[in-house]
Amino acid sequence: MSRSRVYQWCTWFGEGRTSLGGEPKSGHPKTLTNEENTTRVDELIRCDRRMKIREIALKLEIPKSTVHEIVHDTLGYRKVSARWVPKMLTEDHKLQRVEISQRLLQRCPQDNGDEDTTHIGRHLGGMAFKTEDDPISKLRNWFDNLDVDFFRVGINSLLSRWQKCINLH
């Protein structure tokens, strides 16, 4: 331990200091991950989901590492197809998906009796499965034994189904 350090401590204690620990420093807080910055980052992402972390950091004048922490850890976003999307769906998101799906289903006419799911239902109807793998193996076996014409007819019918949906709107 140096003599100058001991003199410095004596001076500090003489001025009323009670410990050798550091005092709060002026300037930037130790972490910038606070409620205000989290809200600001979230607002920017909601306005432009294609915004990059670097762009957010420049706009808000905070470090990229802080923006990265806020985006990934605090807000729980991840990048999908160059867009920020929440990792977990909220109840609002789930309700929106259900409403949109119902509206889309109402747009297209229902084909009764000729859908592939009807064929699958006839094949699997009344079966009891003991494990999760049982229906998968049954379906694979069923698909393997189907004639090529089954798939050809199904694919060819997609065009007419698509055209019906387009003609409705």
Side-chain angles (χ1 to χ4, degrees), residues 8-10 12-14 16-24:
Q8 186 180 32
W9 289 346
C10 288
W12 287 352
F13 285 111
R17 196 164 178 177
T18 58
S19 73
L20 295 176
E23 292 181 354

Side-chain angles (χ1 to χ4, degrees), residues 4-166:
S4 62
R5 176 64 69 186
V6 173
Y7 286 130
Q8 186 180 32
W9 289 346
C10 288
T11 306
W12 287 352
F13 285 111
E15 294 171 350
R17 196 164 178 177
T18 58
S19 73
L20 295 176
E23 292 181 354
K25 296 179 176 61
S26 64
H28 292 289
K30 190 171 185 176
T31 179
L32 293 172
T33 308
N34 55 35
E35 189 68 35
E36 178 187 350
N37 285 337
T38 301
T39 304
R40 292 168 58 202
V41 168
D42 194 33
E43 287 172 356
L44 283 176
I45 288 175
R46 287 176 186 268
C47 288
D48 181 6
R49 292 197 181 268
R50 296 187 185 278
M51 188 172 273
K52 296 175 178 68
I53 285 182
R54 181 177 35 81
E55 294 169 342
I56 296 170
L58 286 172
K59 193 168 235 172
L60 299 180
E61 297 177 349
I62 57 178
K64 287 189 298 187
S65 60
T66 302
V67 174
H68 185 275
E69 181 183 330
I70 291 171
V71 169
H72 290 283
D73 299 338
T74 307
L75 295 174
Y77 284 109
R78 62 188 170 106
K79 202 77 154 173
V80 176
S81 298
R83 293 180 62 182
W84 291 111
V85 295
K87 286 183 184 175
M88 299 297 290
L89 293 178
T90 64
E91 288 303 315
D92 275 349
H93 293 130
K94 291 175 186 176
L95 287 173
Q96 285 176 350
R97 283 187 172 192
V98 168
E99 290 170 2
I100 290 169
S101 297
Q102 288 172 343
R103 276 189 266 139
L104 290 173
L105 283 173
Q106 290 172 356
R107 285 184 177 184
C108 296
Q110 295 294 319
D111 288 339
N112 294 326
D114 66 339
E115 293 197 23
D116 298 336
T117 55
T118 304
H119 295 288
I120 293 170
R122 270 190 249 138
H123 178 71
L124 296 178
M127 289 186 179
F129 303 109
K130 293 184 172 136
T131 67
E132 290 182 20
D133 294 332
D134 284 349
I136 294 170
S137 64
K138 294 279 187 195
L139 279 174
R140 282 193 178 137
N141 185 29
W142 180 67
F143 278 119
D144 289 343
N145 292 322
L146 284 173
D147 188 40
V148 176
D149 286 335
F150 175 83
F151 297 102
R152 186 177 295 119
V153 168
I155 290 172
N156 288 336
S157 70
L158 289 177
L159 182 61
S160 65
R161 291 177 185 176
W162 176 78
Q163 194 62 49
K164 285 179 189 176
C165 289
I166 297 300

